[in-house]
Amino acid sequence: MGARPFGTDINTSESEGPVVQGNLGDIFRMLQKRLFAPLPYWHWIKQAEDHRLDENNRIVSESVQEFIRLARDRMNNSPALFDQPSNLLEAMIAARDENESIFLDSELAGNIVTLLLAGENTTAHSLAWFIYLAHQSPDVLLRIREEVDRIIGKDAVSTRHEQLGELDFIEACINESMRLRPSAPLVGVEANHDTVVADVAIPKGTMILLLTRVGALKEMHFANPCAFRPDRWMTSVSESIHRKACMPFGAGPRLCPGRFLAIEEMKMVITILVKNFDISALDTPDGKSVQKRLTFTMAPVGLQLKLRRR
Ligand code: HEM
Protein backbone atom coordinates (compact mmCIF):
# COMPACT_ATOMS: atom_id res chain seq x y z
CA MET A 1 0.00 0.00 0.00
CA GLY A 2 1.35 3.45 -0.86
CA ALA A 3 0.69 5.07 2.54
CA ARG A 4 3.67 4.70 4.91
CA PRO A 5 2.39 5.64 8.37
CA PHE A 6 5.67 4.40 9.91
CA GLY A 7 7.97 5.83 7.21
CA THR A 8 9.17 2.34 6.25
CA ASP A 9 7.83 0.60 3.18
CA ILE A 10 7.01 -2.90 4.43
CA ASN A 11 6.05 -3.81 0.85
CA THR A 12 4.08 -6.90 1.76
CA SER A 13 2.84 -7.45 -1.80
CA GLU A 14 6.26 -7.84 -3.44
CA SER A 15 8.24 -9.43 -0.61
CA GLU A 16 9.23 -13.05 -1.19
CA GLY A 17 10.08 -13.93 2.40
CA PRO A 18 8.07 -13.60 5.59
CA VAL A 19 6.99 -10.10 6.48
CA VAL A 20 5.40 -8.66 9.56
CA GLN A 21 1.97 -9.07 7.97
CA GLY A 22 2.29 -12.89 8.11
CA ASN A 23 3.21 -12.74 11.80
CA LEU A 24 0.21 -10.51 12.47
CA GLY A 25 -2.06 -13.04 10.73
CA ASP A 26 -0.82 -15.80 13.06
CA ILE A 27 -1.18 -13.54 16.10
CA PHE A 28 -4.80 -12.87 15.13
CA ARG A 29 -5.51 -16.58 14.79
CA MET A 30 -4.22 -17.21 18.30
CA LEU A 31 -6.01 -14.16 19.67
CA GLN A 32 -9.26 -15.67 18.43
CA LYS A 33 -8.39 -19.11 19.82
CA ARG A 34 -7.53 -17.75 23.25
CA LEU A 35 -10.58 -15.51 23.31
CA PHE A 36 -12.85 -18.56 23.06
CA ALA A 37 -10.73 -20.97 25.14
CA PRO A 38 -12.66 -22.26 28.19
CA LEU A 39 -9.44 -22.08 30.29
CA PRO A 40 -6.31 -19.94 29.93
CA TYR A 41 -4.24 -23.18 29.67
CA TRP A 42 -1.22 -21.30 28.23
CA HIS A 43 -0.47 -19.91 31.68
CA TRP A 44 0.43 -23.44 32.82
CA ILE A 45 1.31 -25.43 29.72
CA LYS A 46 2.31 -24.31 26.23
CA GLN A 47 1.59 -26.18 23.02
CA ALA A 48 3.65 -25.78 19.82
CA GLU A 49 1.36 -23.03 18.55
CA ASP A 50 1.72 -21.10 21.82
CA HIS A 51 5.50 -21.15 21.40
CA ARG A 52 4.95 -19.98 17.80
CA LEU A 53 2.86 -17.12 19.15
CA ASP A 54 5.72 -16.09 21.47
CA GLU A 55 8.06 -16.20 18.47
CA ASN A 56 5.64 -14.12 16.34
CA ASN A 57 5.32 -11.57 19.15
CA ARG A 58 9.11 -11.39 19.37
CA ILE A 59 9.46 -10.83 15.59
CA VAL A 60 6.77 -8.11 15.53
CA SER A 61 8.32 -6.43 18.55
CA GLU A 62 11.79 -6.46 16.92
CA SER A 63 10.34 -5.09 13.66
CA VAL A 64 8.67 -2.28 15.60
CA GLN A 65 11.93 -1.45 17.40
CA GLU A 66 13.58 -1.28 13.97
CA PHE A 67 10.86 1.09 12.63
CA ILE A 68 11.49 3.32 15.65
CA ARG A 69 15.28 3.19 15.23
CA LEU A 70 15.07 4.08 11.52
CA ALA A 71 12.64 6.92 12.21
CA ARG A 72 14.81 8.32 15.03
CA ASP A 73 17.86 8.23 12.69
CA ARG A 74 15.89 10.10 10.01
CA MET A 75 14.72 12.67 12.54
CA ASN A 76 18.16 13.19 14.03
CA ASN A 77 19.51 13.74 10.50
CA SER A 78 16.68 16.21 9.72
CA PRO A 79 15.68 17.81 13.06
CA ALA A 80 12.96 19.84 11.30
CA LEU A 81 10.95 16.59 11.38
CA PHE A 82 10.51 17.04 15.15
CA ASP A 83 8.39 20.15 14.42
CA GLN A 84 6.90 18.93 11.15
CA PRO A 85 6.70 15.12 11.35
CA SER A 86 6.11 13.51 7.96
CA ASN A 87 4.25 10.46 9.24
CA LEU A 88 2.42 9.02 12.24
CA LEU A 89 5.45 7.34 13.78
CA GLU A 90 7.55 10.51 13.59
CA ALA A 91 4.69 12.43 15.25
CA MET A 92 4.64 9.90 18.11
CA ILE A 93 8.43 10.02 18.48
CA ALA A 94 8.35 13.82 18.53
CA ALA A 95 5.76 13.65 21.35
CA ARG A 96 7.83 10.99 23.17
CA ASP A 97 11.08 12.95 22.92
CA GLU A 98 9.60 16.24 24.09
CA ASN A 99 11.02 17.56 27.34
CA GLU A 100 9.05 16.25 30.29
CA SER A 101 7.08 13.83 28.17
CA ILE A 102 5.31 11.25 30.29
CA PHE A 103 5.04 8.98 27.26
CA LEU A 104 7.40 5.96 27.71
CA ASP A 105 9.37 4.18 24.99
CA SER A 106 7.48 0.98 25.82
CA GLU A 107 4.18 2.88 25.29
CA LEU A 108 5.42 4.15 21.94
CA ALA A 109 6.20 0.57 20.84
CA GLY A 110 2.89 -0.69 22.29
CA ASN A 111 0.93 1.92 20.36
CA ILE A 112 2.62 0.95 17.11
CA VAL A 113 1.78 -2.71 17.65
CA THR A 114 -1.84 -1.68 18.40
CA LEU A 115 -2.00 0.34 15.20
CA LEU A 116 -0.57 -2.55 13.20
CA LEU A 117 -2.99 -5.04 14.75
CA ALA A 118 -6.02 -2.76 14.61
CA GLY A 119 -5.42 -1.11 11.26
CA GLU A 120 -3.75 -3.52 8.89
CA ASN A 121 -5.83 -6.67 8.44
CA THR A 122 -9.10 -4.84 9.06
CA THR A 123 -8.51 -2.42 6.19
CA ALA A 124 -7.05 -5.06 3.85
CA HIS A 125 -9.97 -7.46 4.40
CA SER A 126 -12.52 -4.66 4.00
CA LEU A 127 -10.95 -3.80 0.67
CA ALA A 128 -10.99 -7.42 -0.45
CA TRP A 129 -14.68 -7.72 0.48
CA PHE A 130 -15.43 -4.46 -1.30
CA ILE A 131 -13.81 -5.68 -4.52
CA TYR A 132 -15.58 -9.03 -4.26
CA LEU A 133 -19.04 -7.53 -3.72
CA ALA A 134 -18.66 -4.75 -6.29
CA HIS A 135 -17.49 -7.28 -8.86
CA GLN A 136 -20.75 -9.23 -8.41
CA SER A 137 -22.70 -6.15 -9.59
CA PRO A 138 -21.56 -4.96 -13.04
CA ASP A 139 -23.82 -1.89 -12.85
CA VAL A 140 -22.20 -0.88 -9.53
CA LEU A 141 -18.72 -1.32 -11.04
CA LEU A 142 -19.72 0.90 -13.98
CA ARG A 143 -20.94 3.63 -11.63
CA ILE A 144 -17.75 3.39 -9.57
CA ARG A 145 -15.68 3.79 -12.72
CA GLU A 146 -17.82 6.70 -13.93
CA GLU A 147 -17.34 8.45 -10.58
CA VAL A 148 -13.58 7.88 -10.54
CA ASP A 149 -13.20 9.14 -14.14
CA ARG A 150 -15.32 12.21 -13.34
CA ILE A 151 -13.56 13.17 -10.11
CA ILE A 152 -9.97 12.08 -10.76
CA GLY A 153 -9.96 13.13 -14.43
CA LYS A 154 -7.01 12.11 -16.60
CA ASP A 155 -4.58 11.42 -13.76
CA ALA A 156 -3.69 7.84 -12.84
CA VAL A 157 -4.14 8.52 -9.11
CA SER A 158 -5.97 11.04 -6.99
CA THR A 159 -3.75 14.14 -6.80
CA ARG A 160 -5.77 16.24 -4.32
CA HIS A 161 -6.99 15.10 -0.96
CA GLU A 162 -10.36 16.86 -1.48
CA GLN A 163 -11.08 14.54 -4.41
CA LEU A 164 -11.45 11.62 -2.01
CA GLY A 165 -14.21 13.52 -0.17
CA GLU A 166 -16.16 13.83 -3.43
CA LEU A 167 -16.35 10.08 -4.05
CA ASP A 168 -19.88 9.76 -2.65
CA PHE A 169 -20.91 6.64 -4.51
CA ILE A 170 -17.68 4.83 -3.62
CA GLU A 171 -18.22 5.78 0.02
CA ALA A 172 -21.75 4.34 -0.19
CA CYS A 173 -20.28 1.13 -1.63
CA ILE A 174 -17.74 0.98 1.21
CA ASN A 175 -20.53 1.42 3.78
CA GLU A 176 -22.60 -1.25 2.10
CA SER A 177 -19.77 -3.78 1.78
CA MET A 178 -18.82 -3.20 5.44
CA ARG A 179 -22.47 -3.73 6.42
CA LEU A 180 -22.57 -7.12 4.65
CA ARG A 181 -19.00 -8.22 5.37
CA PRO A 182 -17.58 -6.30 8.34
CA SER A 183 -13.92 -7.21 8.81
CA ALA A 184 -14.27 -6.76 12.60
CA PRO A 185 -17.63 -8.40 13.43
CA LEU A 186 -16.83 -8.97 17.13
CA VAL A 187 -16.53 -6.10 19.58
CA GLY A 188 -15.54 -6.84 23.16
CA VAL A 189 -17.00 -4.72 25.98
CA GLU A 190 -17.07 -4.91 29.76
CA ALA A 191 -19.84 -3.56 31.99
CA ASN A 192 -18.49 -0.73 34.19
CA HIS A 193 -21.47 -1.08 36.51
CA ASP A 194 -24.53 -3.32 36.96
CA THR A 195 -26.88 -2.69 34.06
CA VAL A 196 -29.76 -4.13 32.05
CA VAL A 197 -29.70 -4.48 28.27
CA ALA A 198 -32.85 -5.62 26.47
CA ASP A 199 -34.23 -7.17 29.67
CA VAL A 200 -31.00 -9.05 30.40
CA ALA A 201 -29.30 -8.19 33.72
CA ILE A 202 -25.57 -7.64 33.24
CA PRO A 203 -23.50 -7.52 36.43
CA LYS A 204 -20.55 -5.15 36.71
CA GLY A 205 -17.33 -6.62 35.28
CA THR A 206 -19.08 -8.99 32.84
CA MET A 207 -17.21 -9.36 29.54
CA ILE A 208 -19.50 -9.37 26.52
CA LEU A 209 -18.75 -10.03 22.86
CA LEU A 210 -21.09 -8.01 20.65
CA LEU A 211 -21.93 -9.50 17.26
CA THR A 212 -22.23 -6.32 15.26
CA ARG A 213 -23.29 -8.01 12.03
CA VAL A 214 -26.61 -9.32 13.39
CA GLY A 215 -28.45 -5.98 13.53
CA ALA A 216 -26.96 -4.91 10.22
CA LEU A 217 -28.61 -7.87 8.48
CA LYS A 218 -32.11 -7.42 9.92
CA GLU A 219 -35.02 -6.60 7.61
CA MET A 220 -36.38 -4.19 10.27
CA HIS A 221 -33.28 -2.00 9.76
CA PHE A 222 -32.43 -2.51 6.08
CA ALA A 223 -34.93 -3.57 3.41
CA ASN A 224 -33.80 -6.70 1.54
CA PRO A 225 -30.87 -6.86 3.97
CA CYS A 226 -28.72 -9.47 2.23
CA ALA A 227 -28.65 -7.56 -1.08
CA PHE A 228 -25.66 -5.38 -1.98
CA ARG A 229 -27.44 -2.05 -2.55
CA PRO A 230 -25.06 0.91 -2.10
CA ASP A 231 -27.86 3.36 -2.96
CA ARG A 232 -29.38 2.85 0.49
CA TRP A 233 -26.44 4.97 1.77
CA MET A 234 -27.01 7.77 -0.77
CA THR A 235 -30.18 9.00 0.91
CA SER A 236 -30.01 11.76 3.52
CA VAL A 237 -29.41 10.67 7.11
CA SER A 238 -32.90 11.76 8.20
CA GLU A 239 -34.43 9.37 5.67
CA SER A 240 -32.61 6.44 7.13
CA ILE A 241 -32.97 6.28 10.87
CA HIS A 242 -31.66 2.74 11.08
CA ARG A 243 -28.10 3.34 9.96
CA LYS A 244 -26.85 3.05 13.51
CA ALA A 245 -27.81 -0.63 13.38
CA CYS A 246 -24.67 -0.98 11.28
CA MET A 247 -21.49 -0.34 13.26
CA PRO A 248 -18.47 -1.82 11.47
CA PHE A 249 -16.18 0.55 13.41
CA GLY A 250 -17.82 -0.11 16.79
CA ALA A 251 -19.59 2.58 18.83
CA GLY A 252 -19.29 4.68 21.95
CA PRO A 253 -16.13 5.90 23.68
CA ARG A 254 -13.94 3.17 22.14
CA LEU A 255 -15.19 3.82 18.58
CA CYS A 256 -12.40 3.08 16.09
CA PRO A 257 -10.10 6.13 15.94
CA GLY A 258 -8.71 4.93 12.58
CA ARG A 259 -12.04 4.92 10.77
CA PHE A 260 -11.44 8.02 8.63
CA LEU A 261 -7.93 6.89 7.75
CA ALA A 262 -9.25 3.44 6.81
CA ILE A 263 -11.92 4.89 4.50
CA GLU A 264 -9.40 7.27 2.87
CA GLU A 265 -6.97 4.39 2.34
CA MET A 266 -9.69 2.28 0.79
CA LYS A 267 -10.74 5.11 -1.50
CA MET A 268 -7.14 5.61 -2.60
CA VAL A 269 -6.67 1.95 -3.46
CA ILE A 270 -10.06 1.71 -5.17
CA THR A 271 -9.40 4.78 -7.35
CA ILE A 272 -5.95 3.48 -8.37
CA LEU A 273 -7.43 0.08 -9.15
CA VAL A 274 -10.39 1.33 -11.15
CA LYS A 275 -8.51 4.08 -12.96
CA ASN A 276 -5.69 1.88 -14.16
CA PHE A 277 -7.00 -1.67 -14.41
CA ASP A 278 -9.89 -3.86 -15.48
CA ILE A 279 -10.67 -6.86 -13.30
CA SER A 280 -10.23 -9.69 -15.80
CA ALA A 281 -10.98 -12.46 -13.28
CA LEU A 282 -12.00 -12.80 -9.68
CA ASP A 283 -12.12 -16.34 -8.40
CA THR A 284 -11.29 -18.85 -5.68
CA PRO A 285 -8.84 -21.76 -6.19
CA ASP A 286 -11.68 -24.34 -6.24
CA GLY A 287 -14.06 -22.12 -8.23
CA LYS A 288 -16.63 -22.17 -5.40
CA SER A 289 -18.12 -19.05 -3.89
CA VAL A 290 -15.81 -17.21 -1.54
CA GLN A 291 -15.97 -18.34 2.10
CA LYS A 292 -15.63 -16.20 5.20
CA ARG A 293 -12.95 -17.04 7.74
CA LEU A 294 -13.06 -15.54 11.20
CA THR A 295 -9.66 -15.26 12.85
CA PHE A 296 -10.65 -12.32 15.04
CA THR A 297 -11.05 -10.36 11.80
CA MET A 298 -13.29 -11.74 9.04
CA ALA A 299 -11.41 -12.44 5.82
CA PRO A 300 -12.41 -13.83 2.43
CA VAL A 301 -10.69 -17.18 1.89
CA GLY A 302 -8.56 -17.66 -1.20
CA LEU A 303 -9.92 -14.74 -3.20
CA GLN A 304 -7.82 -14.35 -6.35
CA LEU A 305 -7.82 -11.28 -8.52
CA LYS A 306 -6.44 -10.90 -12.05
CA LEU A 307 -5.99 -7.39 -13.39
CA ARG A 308 -5.49 -6.13 -16.94
CA ARG A 309 -4.10 -2.67 -17.60
CA ARG A 310 -6.80 -0.35 -18.90
C1 HEM B 1 -11.73 -0.95 7.75
C2 HEM B 1 -10.83 -0.85 8.71
C3 HEM B 1 -11.12 -0.89 10.18
C4 HEM B 1 -12.16 -1.47 10.85
C5 HEM B 1 -13.31 -2.28 10.28
C6 HEM B 1 -11.96 -1.20 12.26
C7 HEM B 1 -12.82 -1.61 13.26
C8 HEM B 1 -12.63 -1.37 14.60
C9 HEM B 1 -13.51 -1.78 15.64
C10 HEM B 1 -14.84 -2.54 15.46
C11 HEM B 1 -12.99 -1.36 16.82
C12 HEM B 1 -13.61 -1.56 18.23
C13 HEM B 1 -14.47 -0.36 18.52
C14 HEM B 1 -15.27 -0.46 19.79
O1 HEM B 1 -14.80 -1.10 20.77
O2 HEM B 1 -16.40 0.09 19.85
C15 HEM B 1 -11.73 -0.68 16.52
C16 HEM B 1 -10.90 -0.14 17.46
C17 HEM B 1 -9.68 0.43 17.16
N1 HEM B 1 -9.17 0.71 15.91
FE1 HEM B 1 -10.04 0.24 14.16
N2 HEM B 1 -10.82 -0.46 12.41
C18 HEM B 1 -10.27 -0.26 11.17
C19 HEM B 1 -9.13 0.47 10.87
C20 HEM B 1 -8.29 1.03 11.79
C21 HEM B 1 -7.09 1.78 11.48
C22 HEM B 1 -6.61 2.09 10.06
C23 HEM B 1 -6.52 2.13 12.65
C24 HEM B 1 -5.28 2.92 12.94
C25 HEM B 1 -4.29 3.10 12.09
C26 HEM B 1 -7.37 1.61 13.71
C27 HEM B 1 -7.11 1.76 15.06
C28 HEM B 1 -7.94 1.31 16.06
C29 HEM B 1 -7.62 1.42 17.48
C30 HEM B 1 -6.35 2.01 18.07
C31 HEM B 1 -8.71 0.88 18.16
C32 HEM B 1 -8.90 0.76 19.69
C33 HEM B 1 -9.65 1.98 20.19
C34 HEM B 1 -9.92 1.90 21.70
O3 HEM B 1 -9.97 0.80 22.25
O4 HEM B 1 -10.12 2.97 22.29
N3 HEM B 1 -8.44 0.96 13.16
N4 HEM B 1 -11.55 -0.68 15.16
Side-chain angles (χ1 to χ4, degrees), residues 78-89:
S78 318
L81 290 174
F82 281 96
D83 292 325
Q84 293 258 305
S86 68
N87 59 51
L88 188 57
L89 176 55

Side-chain angles (χ1 to χ4, degrees), residues 24-258:
L24 293 175
D26 269 6
I27 291 174
F28 265 122
R29 194 179 57 74
M30 287 303 284
L31 203 61
Q32 156 113 353
K33 187 170 177 200
R34 288 187 173 186
L35 195 62
F36 291 106
L39 272 180
Y41 67 88
W42 55 94
H43 290 316
W44 305 291
I45 183 162
K46 287 200 175 183
Q47 301 178 344
E49 58 183 4
D50 298 297
H51 288 296
R52 248 192 338 268
L53 175 64
D54 291 342
E55 178 62 6
N56 281 319
N57 282 334
R58 188 190 60 72
I59 293 172
V60 170
S61 160
E62 277 177 8
S63 306
V64 165
Q65 295 301 339
E66 182 65 3
F67 295 154
I68 297 176
R69 193 187 61 72
L70 290 171
R72 276 224 167 91
D73 283 354
R74 268 196 316 276
M75 295 171 80
N76 288 333
N77 288 335
S78 318
L81 290 174
F82 281 96
D83 292 325
Q84 293 258 305
S86 68
N87 59 51
L88 188 57
L89 176 55
E90 288 171 6
M92 289 199 281
I93 291 178
R96 160 74 192 110
D97 292 357
E98 255 173 27
N99 281 340
E100 296 176 39
S101 165
I102 49 162
F103 193 27
L104 303 175
D105 252 358
S106 54
E107 289 168 331
L108 175 62
N111 271 292
I112 295 168
V113 174
T114 302
L115 291 180
L116 277 172
L117 277 173
E120 221 255 352
N121 276 6
T122 43
T123 313
H125 296 334
S126 299
L127 251 175
W129 283 122
F130 175 102
I131 294 168
Y132 170 70
L133 289 167
H135 188 257
Q136 315 291 308
S137 307
D139 57 319
V140 167
L141 262 189
L142 270 179
R143 285 172 70 188
I144 291 176
R145 172 157 287 173
E146 182 280 319
E147 181 168 82
V148 172
D149 287 345
R150 182 164 45 81
I151 309 275
I152 309 293
K154 289 197 293 302
D155 297 315
V157 293
S158 140
T159 50
R160 282 180 303 110
H161 182 246
E162 304 80 66
Q163 288 172 332
L164 299 179
E166 293 167 28
L167 298 167
D168 294 336
F169 185 63
I170 291 184
E171 186 153 329
C173 294
I174 292 176
N175 287 334
E176 183 67 344
S177 62
M178 293 184 75
R179 181 182 71 81
L180 290 171
R181 300 283 194 282
S183 61
L186 298 174
V187 173
V189 291
E190 182 178 342
N192 288 337
H193 47 78
D194 292 348
T195 185
V196 175
V197 178
D199 289 339
V200 179
I202 309 209
K204 177 181 173 179
T206 310
M207 279 293 300
I208 301 175
L209 278 181
L210 305 175
L211 306 179
T212 55
R213 194 162 171 245
V214 177
L217 293 181
K218 285 224 155 103
E219 180 83 44
M220 63 191 282
H221 301 306
F222 297 97
N224 198 358
C226 294
F228 180 63
R229 287 191 5 206
D231 278 320
R232 62 173 105 236
W233 298 93
M234 299 289 280
T235 53
S236 69
V237 175
S238 58
E239 279 174 59
S240 173
I241 52 167
H242 293 297
R243 283 181 183 176
K244 285 191 175 156
C246 176
M247 46 176 84
F249 291 107
R254 307 306 291 260
L255 174 65
C256 174

